[in-house]
């Protein structure tokens, strides 16, 4: 039965997705205390929004298309920790009724911001089946928090981390951003040391980017912001890796570091180009060769779910070459790298090419240039190649396209 208020005349309409049991599940909760000017994810300030109705709609969508017994679940946003405990209980209890995730998932992550994570909220999330809390510190400098549009202060970040520990969480990630305009490298490394001293199991440290459609991008184009020079960005990148590695964190992905093999399994599935189903406004899904995304609008998402339990706004089915190129692009972000056979299998193109496929040929050429190295049949970025990861990726994304193979079957 659909949640209250969502029983439309078209409910029960077949959805063209058939995810296998165990497929990863992502749930997008697009509400924040305030919209950060660097963020290109779909999110809106929560004030005046229908949070309860959005949960109703997500649960109705879950009944129609969520995978059974997902191996990982990720509550992202937006700011899931912004929701009151009773709403989180309704969401997670409803998802478990649809998917049985509490008995199947090895990892359940909830993104949190410091201003909305206290001990009661952390304990609520853990009691509801969350196993991993990801806290958005972003910076330990008041002037950078102000630049980033964050509504918390530095003390809030430390209080939130302590709240997670006091509630019993033993798997905490801290999100950080570096190489901001005007940021000093020595100050950044000092702040990174303060985070390391907390002992989080996982650290995500990202070089600031100026994404299309964000205020930061507009300010950059207007000259109101100046990005760090390339050589400074490289110093931040190398200094971050060195400091975290010295502290015992494994650099298992370009921007992600963990202790004791506590990598983020949900995100590793993305980097393996694995299947996943996304629920909520703007959420994207990939099952087999097909991928699709929900509408980027709260009101339209609610309307479409009420009408037909589907908010799909676009879909496409890239051909084998595109899928292969994306698989190499994603897989090379991981320290483990990948082999040509793994790339073909993950791309669903195992029978399209023999061992001389174009991805493997490009990898071999890049190995000859010192950007990749061969390790046990796999290719991975060298120390020289790591800072050039985006340029290396483009070599694969620009695989020669054959129109007969690569014309999308859907529209976007």
């Amino acid at each position: 039965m659909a949640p209250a208020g969502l029983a439309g005349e078209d409910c029960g309409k077949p959805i063209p997705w058939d995810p296998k049991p165990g497929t990863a599940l992502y749930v997008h909760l697009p509400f924040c205390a305030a919209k950060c000017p660097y963020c290109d994810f779909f999110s809106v300030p929560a004030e005046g929004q229908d949070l309860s109705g959005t949960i109703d709609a997500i649960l109705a969508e879950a009944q129609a298309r969520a995978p059974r017994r997902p191996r990982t679940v990720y509550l992202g946003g937006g700011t899931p920790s912004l929701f009151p405990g009773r709403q989180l209980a309704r969401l997670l209890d409803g998802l478990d009724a649809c998917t049985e995730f509490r008995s199947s998932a090895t990892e359940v992550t909830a993104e949190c911001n410091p201003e909305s994570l206290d001990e009661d909220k952390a304990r609520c999330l853990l009691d509801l089946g969350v196993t991993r809390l990801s806290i958005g510190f972003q910076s330990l400098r008041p002037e950078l928090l102000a630049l980033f549009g964050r509504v918390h202060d530095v003390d809030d970040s430390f209080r939130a981390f302590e709240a997670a520990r006091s509630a019993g969480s033993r798997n905490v990630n801290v999100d950080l951003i570096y190489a901001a305009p005007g940021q000093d490298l020595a100050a950044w490394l000092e702040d990174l040391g303060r985070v390391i001293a907390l002992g989080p199991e996982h650290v995500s440290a990202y070089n600031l980017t100026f994404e299309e459609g964000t205020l930061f991008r507009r300010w950059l184009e207007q000259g109101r912001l100046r990005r760090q020079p390339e050589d400074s960005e490289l110093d931040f990148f190398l200094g971050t890796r060195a400091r975290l590695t010295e502290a015992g964190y494994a650099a298992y992905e370009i921007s992600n570091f963990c202790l004791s093999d506590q990598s983020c399994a949900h995100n590793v599935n993305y980097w393996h180009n694995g299947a996943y189903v996304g629920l909520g406004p703007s959420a994207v899904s990939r099952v087999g060769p097909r991928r699709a995304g929900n509408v980027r609008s709260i009101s339209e998402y609610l309307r479409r779910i009420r009408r037909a339990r589907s908010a799909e706004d676009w879909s496409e089915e890239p051909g084998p070459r595109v899928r292969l190129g994306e698989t190499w692009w994603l897989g090379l972000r991981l320290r483990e790298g990948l082999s040509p056979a793994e790339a073909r299998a993950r791309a669903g193109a195992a029978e399209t090419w023999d061992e001389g496929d174009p991805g493997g040929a490009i990898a071999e050429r890049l190995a000859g240039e010192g950007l990749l190295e061969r390790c046990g049949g796999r290719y991975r970025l060298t120390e020289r190649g790591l800072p050039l990861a985006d340029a290396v990726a483009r070599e694969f994304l620009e695989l020669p396209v054959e129109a007969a193979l690569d014309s999308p079957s859907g529209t976007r």
Side-chain angles (χ1 to χ4, degrees):
M1 181 178 294
L6 287 168
E9 63 180 8
D10 292 324
C11 284
K13 178 181 176 181
I15 304 296
W17 291 89
D18 186 22
K20 295 179 180 178
T23 297
L25 176 63
Y26 174 77
V27 181
H28 192 66
L29 301 171
F31 305 109
C32 294
K35 178 69 175 179
C36 297
Y38 59 82
C39 178
D40 68 333
F41 292 107
F42 175 68
S43 61
V44 298
E47 186 175 358
Q49 297 291 336
D50 187 359
L51 275 64
S52 180
T54 302
I55 287 180
D56 284 340
I58 287 172
L59 291 177
E61 187 184 14
Q63 289 176 348
R65 57 193 296 271
R68 298 288 295 176
R69 303 186 60 76
R71 287 188 296 273
T72 63
V73 178
Y74 197 105
L75 306 182
T79 310
S81 61
L82 177 147
F83 280 74
R86 66 182 182 281
Q87 299 284 21
L88 290 169
R90 197 159 63 83
L91 172 66
L92 288 164
D93 287 345
L95 287 175
D96 186 56
C98 289
T99 68
E100 300 179 324
F101 80 85
R102 287 178 179 143
S103 63
S104 65
T106 59
E107 176 189 279
V108 181
T109 299
E111 291 185 346
C112 309
N113 275 342
E115 72 275 4
S116 57
L117 186 68
D118 57 18
E119 186 174 341
D120 287 342
K121 183 66 64 67
R123 184 172 291 111
C124 171
L125 288 164
L126 296 176
D127 289 346
L128 290 169
V130 171
T131 65
R132 182 175 182 272
L133 300 176
S134 180
I135 308 175
F137 279 34
Q138 310 312 357
S139 177
L140 296 184
R141 298 283 159 167
E143 67 275 13
L144 289 180
L145 289 175
L147 175 66
F148 292 158
R150 308 294 287 180
V151 299
H152 70 272
D153 61 27
V154 175
D155 289 340
D156 289 335
S157 292
F158 287 99
R159 280 194 291 266
F161 188 90
E162 180 55 36
R165 288 294 196 229
S166 297
S169 178
R170 296 296 175 263
N171 194 352
V172 179
N173 170 61
V174 170
D175 263 356
L176 298 166
I177 298 173
Y178 62 80
Q183 188 175 19
D184 177 71
L185 176 59
W188 157 248
L189 294 177
E190 178 185 331
D191 293 344
L192 185 56
R194 295 176 69 190
V195 170
I196 289 169
L198 293 173
E201 286 72 24
H202 193 284
V203 175
S204 297
Y206 300 102
N207 192 123
L208 176 66
T209 56
F210 297 81
E211 301 293 343
E212 289 283 354
T214 64
L215 274 175
F216 263 27
R217 180 60 172 263
R218 187 188 312 166
W219 293 344
L220 182 70
E221 293 168 349
Q222 293 171 346
R224 293 174 58 184
L225 291 178
R226 289 187 179 180
R227 68 186 310 156
Q228 294 274 356
E230 286 188 8
D231 57 347
S232 294
E233 288 190 341
L234 178 59
D235 289 341
F236 274 94
F237 175 79
L238 295 176
T240 299
R241 291 180 67 84
R243 184 70 182 85
L244 284 161
T245 301
E246 289 167 4
Y249 287 83
Y252 74 96
E253 192 269 346
I254 290 172
S255 301
N256 287 273
F257 308 81
C258 68
L259 294 174
S260 305
D261 296 322
Q262 295 197 66
S263 58
C264 178
H266 186 87
N267 286 341
V268 168
N269 178 65
Y270 289 148
W271 294 314
H272 283 171
N273 209 7
Y276 55 91
V277 170
L279 307 176
S282 81
V284 173
S285 302
R286 177 191 176 276
V287 177
R290 184 171 181 264
R291 57 194 176 197
N294 284 346
V295 64
R296 292 172 64 93
S297 163
I298 307 297
S299 59
E300 184 65 11
Y301 174 78
L302 296 178
R303 188 186 72 81
R304 294 190 189 191
I305 293 296
R306 289 189 177 108
R307 186 188 66 206
R309 290 197 188 181
S310 173
E312 186 176 296
D313 195 46
W314 61 266
S315 67
E316 61 184 7
E317 191 169 321
R321 283 186 183 271
V322 172
R323 299 200 307 269
L324 183 68
E326 291 176 347
T327 301
W328 278 100
W329 163 61
L330 291 165
L332 286 174
R333 294 190 63 88
L334 291 166
R335 182 57 183 158
E336 68 186 32
L338 74 169
S339 70
E342 287 172 327
R344 293 194 301 273
R346 293 173 188 173
E351 298 178 0
T352 305
W353 295 286
D354 59 19
E355 293 185 2
D357 72 67
I362 291 172
E364 185 64 23
R365 172 172 60 79
L366 293 170
E369 296 173 7
L371 298 173
L372 297 180
E373 63 184 358
R374 291 180 291 273
C375 183
R378 294 166 173 258
Y379 292 88
R380 65 185 187 186
L381 290 163
T382 62
E383 291 301 311
R384 177 173 165 240
L386 278 167
L388 302 172
D390 289 343
V392 171
R394 282 194 294 272
E395 295 286 331
F396 294 93
L397 293 177
E398 294 173 359
L399 279 169
V401 174
E402 296 175 8
L405 288 175
D406 293 327
S407 57
S409 63
T411 59
R412 179 160 192 170

